[in-house]
Amino acid sequence: MTELEQRCVDAGLKMTGQRRVILEVLGSAKDHPSVEDVYERAKKLDKSISIATVYRTLGLLDELDLVTRHEFQEGYSRYELNQDHHHHLVDLETGKVIEFQNEELELLKIKIAEELGYELVDHRLELYGKKLKKK
Amino acid sequence: MTELEQRCVDAGLKMTGQRRVILEVLGSAKDHPSVEDVYERAKKLDKSISIATVYRTLGLLDELDLVTRHEFQEGYSRYELNQDHHHHLVDLETGKVIEFQNEELELLKIKIAEELGYELVDHRLELYGKKLKKK
DNA sequence: GTAGCTGCAAACTCTTTGCAACTCT
DNA sequence: AGAGTTGCAAAGAGTTTGCAGCTAC
């Protein structure tokens, strides 16, 4: 049983074949797949899986905080396993998503929330840019 | 003719009664209204306005960069007139949206994009927090 | 055995669109 | 006059859900 599967079981979920497949898809994704993407990849491992199950499972995983649901102004959601904390820069010309971390930013966010009288629970930062031309 | 109306005309839009109403609603909004909100408020000024027109007009205003379309993980959009640049802190307990600005943050974002080889075109930052209890 | 899970299809929510009538300029 | 705009209703996209049968425990 993988660590991911274990965490689901610990949370009281039954470990079904479909869930194993979806976790496998998420675990091996190097990108930020949409529900449709997860569904397509899952079907390669289990032809009979339904998109309703994919939606339900991703919703559960989000509640358990095992994944993050992103909404990059596209009109649908994309999911990502929660591993290291990072943010995204979206290339406006290609749609490519680049991940980055920045310690200074983390501290600044906490400070800003504090100054407003808030405890920071969550946050989103997304940058949208165009590739700089080399001279 | 208000400045907002003038900017629409300059962009080649006809200044219809419906558009005037929608601009008026946006101009006097102190919050970040959803399409439904704008529609409800607009109806008070013009009973016959349709929600299709609200959608179309908000879409146009977004293209003209007169408004910003926000997607605060709620499953629908909220709109806001583009005035001073700022970000949002969402109170997780009340849903209240607090605006803030932070110069240090602005510089940092540009720097991060640059380091990744990108020119920053746009960005989103949202903080989600809980009110700190006073001791 | 049974609570929980699944696939299916229908329903739902938010948003967009085709069209005929209407209205700014 | 004519291009652009509107309201309406229908269609679209993404997502959720009721239900009967199935499955992990």
Side-chain angles (χ1 to χ4, degrees):
Chain A
M1 165 122 43
T2 68
E3 194 220 316
L4 224 40
E5 288 175 13
Q6 188 60 57
R7 287 170 69 186
C8 291
V9 170
D10 290 349
L13 298 189
K14 285 190 179 167
M15 193 38 56
T16 64
Q18 291 90 331
R19 287 181 179 165
R20 245 187 275 274
V21 163
I22 292 169
L23 290 173
E24 164 62 23
V25 166
L26 293 173
S28 58
K30 301 224 164 45
D31 53 354
H32 305 73
S34 65
V35 176
E36 198 66 34
D37 292 333
V38 174
Y39 175 52
E40 292 304 330
R41 294 174 202 177
K43 268 204 296 200
K44 290 190 182 151
L45 304 176
D46 171 0
K47 277 211 186 71
S48 72
I49 204 166
S50 86
I51 199 163
T53 296
V54 176
Y55 270 105
R56 279 191 277 236
T57 302
L58 290 173
L60 286 170
L61 296 177
D62 186 28
E63 271 179 41
L64 296 181
D65 269 322
L66 292 181
V67 301
T68 293
R69 172 180 184 155
H70 293 289
E71 286 174 23
F72 298 137
Q73 342 234 32
E74 297 168 310
Y76 56 84
S77 302
R78 300 168 71 157
Y79 288 83
E80 172 182 28
L81 268 188
N82 282 339
Q83 298 185 281
D84 56 320
H85 174 75
H86 61 259
H87 295 289
H88 300 97
L89 187 155
V90 181
D91 185 320
L92 288 171
E93 282 154 349
T94 66
K96 195 174 137 206
V97 177
I98 294 160
E99 302 182 350
F100 68 87
Q101 291 181 271
N102 186 293
E103 194 51 37
E104 207 179 325
L105 186 63
E106 300 307 312
L107 298 173
L108 185 53
K109 286 181 305 200
I110 294 168
K111 199 181 93 185
I112 292 170
E114 240 166 44
E115 281 169 4
L116 294 168
Y118 278 80
E119 180 196 339
L120 191 62
V121 173
D122 200 4
H123 55 269
R124 306 162 67 183
L125 171 68
E126 285 145 34
L127 305 182
Y128 295 83
K130 286 192 304 194
K131 205 149 205 156
L132 282 170
K133 308 287 180 260
K134 300 279 183 305
K135 329 193 177 66
Chain B
M1 163 120 46
T2 67
E3 194 221 316
L4 224 41
E5 288 174 14
Q6 189 59 58
R7 287 170 69 188
C8 290
V9 171
D10 290 349
L13 299 190
K14 285 191 180 165
M15 194 38 55
T16 65
Q18 292 91 330
R19 286 180 180 165
R20 244 186 276 276
V21 164
I22 292 169
L23 290 173
E24 164 62 22
V25 167
L26 292 174
S28 58
K30 301 224 164 46
D31 53 353
H32 306 73
S34 64
V35 176
E36 198 67 34
D37 292 333
V38 174
Y39 175 52
E40 293 302 331
R41 294 174 202 177
K43 268 204 296 199
K44 291 191 180 150
L45 304 175
D46 172 359
K47 277 211 185 72
S48 73
I49 204 167
S50 85
I51 199 162
T53 297
V54 176
Y55 270 106
R56 278 190 278 235
T57 303
L58 291 174
L60 285 170
L61 296 176
D62 186 28
E63 271 179 41
L64 296 180
D65 268 321
L66 292 181
V67 301
T68 294
R69 172 181 186 155
H70 292 289
E71 287 174 22
F72 297 136
Q73 345 234 31
E74 298 168 309
Y76 56 85
S77 301
R78 300 169 74 159
Y79 288 83
E80 172 182 29
L81 269 187
N82 282 340
Q83 300 185 281
D84 56 319
H85 174 74
H86 62 259
H87 295 287
H88 300 96
L89 186 153
V90 180
D91 186 321
L92 288 172
E93 281 153 351
T94 66
K96 197 176 137 204
V97 177
I98 294 159
E99 301 182 349
F100 67 87
Q101 291 181 272
N102 187 293
E103 195 49 40
E104 206 179 324
L105 187 62
E106 300 307 311
L107 298 173
L108 186 53
K109 285 180 306 199
I110 293 167
K111 199 181 93 188
I112 291 171
E114 240 167 44
E115 281 170 4
L116 294 168
Y118 278 80
E119 180 195 340
L120 191 62
V121 173
D122 198 4
H123 55 270
R124 307 162 68 183
L125 171 68
E126 286 144 33
L127 304 183
Y128 296 83
K130 286 191 306 192
K131 207 151 203 155
L132 281 171
K133 307 287 179 262
K134 301 278 183 306
K135 334 191 175 68

